[in-house]
């Protein structure tokens, strides 16, 4: 499973990229606005920090402007994945950009029917939002299971299931059990993944015993 980080904070991305665990980055207009920085500068900076896909989202809602914005964003760096909303204009833009060889991430997916359309439009990624479905009392992870199963029925289908709106480590484990291709993870959740109290306790005991032995590995 690939790990993307869901943030536009370049310092956090730099720190996580250094771990070697990161395969890509997703941003959205809210995350970019939170940085208070210039959109284009932020995207270009992120693209230089990471080799994998960096999602940059269009802001228009009509096809013509969306396509123009998508082309402009794709021109920022080779690893930009243009993010479009799951609307008819977004799907049309996805089809056009995908045909021209640009990676497209179709976002704001909340149903299996929408995911089928994203695949039909040639999307490189479809982003179902699990946390926001959970928030309204629907089982977000059921949608992931459905999409993975549907996509698996068609060997020639290349669209990857990118689980978005992740709120906790359990979401990631469940997505992996279901065979989702990618999780886009907020930085704080990515850091939570590594923690376990028994790891801390075990390490403390090993270190205490090692100290008592009086030995040193490096001499
Ligand atoms: O980037 C899209 C998605 O991951 C947003 O998550 O937490 O705002 O629902 P959230």
């Amino acid at each position: 499973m690939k790990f993307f980080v869901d943030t536009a904070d370049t310092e956090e991305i730099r720190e996580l990229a250094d771990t070697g665990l990161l395969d890509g980055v997703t941003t959205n207009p809210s995350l970019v606005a939170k940085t208070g920085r210039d959109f284009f500068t932020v995207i270009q900076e992120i693209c230089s920090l990471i080799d994998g896909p960096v999602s940059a989202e269009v802001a228009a809602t009509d096809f013509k402007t969306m396509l123009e914005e998508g082309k402009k964003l794709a021109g920022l760096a080779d690893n930009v994945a243009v993010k479009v909303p799951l609307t008819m204009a977004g799907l049309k833009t996805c089809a056009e950009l995908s045909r021209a060889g640009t990676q497209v991430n179709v976002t704001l997916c909340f149903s299996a029917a929408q995911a089928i359309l994203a695949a039909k439009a040639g999307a490189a990624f479809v982003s179902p939002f699990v946390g926001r479905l959970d928030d309204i009392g629907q089982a977000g992870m059921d949608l992931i299971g459905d999409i993975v199963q549907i996509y698996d029925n068609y060997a020639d289908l290349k669209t990857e299931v990118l689980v978005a709106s992740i709120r906790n480590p359990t979401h990631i484990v469940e997505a992996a059990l279901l065979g989702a291709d990618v999780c886009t993870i907020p930085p704080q959740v990515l850091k939570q993944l590594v923690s376990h109290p028994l790891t801390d306790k075990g390490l403390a005991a090993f270190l205490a015993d090692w100290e008592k032995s009086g030995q040193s590995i490096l001499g």
Side-chain angles (χ1 to χ4, degrees):
M1 168 184 268
K2 284 180 260 187
F3 274 13
F4 291 0
V5 67
D6 198 26
T7 183
D9 183 326
T10 49
E11 275 322 299
E12 278 181 316
I13 294 167
R14 199 184 304 273
E15 190 193 319
L16 290 165
D18 280 348
T19 66
L21 296 171
L22 221 54
D23 303 296
V25 177
T26 53
T27 69
N28 63 37
S30 307
L31 292 171
V32 173
K34 209 165 122 189
T35 68
R37 300 181 61 205
D38 172 67
F39 179 39
F40 299 104
T41 310
V42 168
I43 296 299
Q44 273 168 324
E45 207 174 307
I46 298 173
C47 287
S48 71
L49 293 174
I50 194 101
D51 292 334
V54 174
S55 289
E57 190 160 341
V58 298
T61 53
D62 68 285
F63 167 66
K64 194 171 163 285
T65 322
M66 212 186 267
L67 184 62
E68 228 172 291
E69 289 183 352
K71 285 180 180 169
K72 183 169 177 181
L73 294 176
L76 292 178
D78 287 346
N79 54 335
V80 165
V82 175
K83 208 171 175 189
V84 301
L86 213 153
T87 59
M88 203 49 94
L91 291 168
K92 208 171 152 187
T93 305
C94 173
E96 186 96 9
L97 290 174
S98 301
R99 261 198 301 274
T102 297
Q103 286 206 313
V104 180
N105 175 0
V106 178
T107 190
L108 291 165
C109 172
F110 292 95
S111 76
Q114 289 181 319
I116 292 170
L117 288 173
K120 288 284 293 175
F125 304 101
V126 66
S127 292
F129 279 31
V130 291
R132 292 193 195 182
L133 281 170
D134 291 350
D135 289 346
I136 60 159
Q138 294 184 18
M141 216 39 78
D142 286 356
L143 174 61
I144 303 305
D146 287 348
I147 300 172
V148 169
Q149 193 186 335
I150 291 167
Y151 283 10
D152 278 352
N153 287 340
Y154 301 94
D156 60 333
L157 201 154
K158 298 285 178 280
T159 307
E160 294 188 36
V161 181
L162 194 170
V163 183
S165 187
I166 280 177
R167 302 281 159 76
N168 53 58
T170 305
H171 274 150
I172 298 156
V173 175
E174 287 176 351
L177 285 168
L178 291 167
D181 303 285
V182 192
C183 275
T184 188
I185 311 169
Q188 73 276 14
V189 178
L190 231 164
K191 287 172 190 163
Q192 278 177 347
L193 273 180
V194 77
S195 302
H196 197 287
L198 290 179
T199 304
D200 298 340
K201 196 178 161 197
L203 182 60
F206 286 156
L207 292 178
D209 288 341
W210 184 247
E211 175 99 26
K212 275 186 237 152
S213 81
Q215 300 186 64
S216 157
I217 291 174
L218 296 179

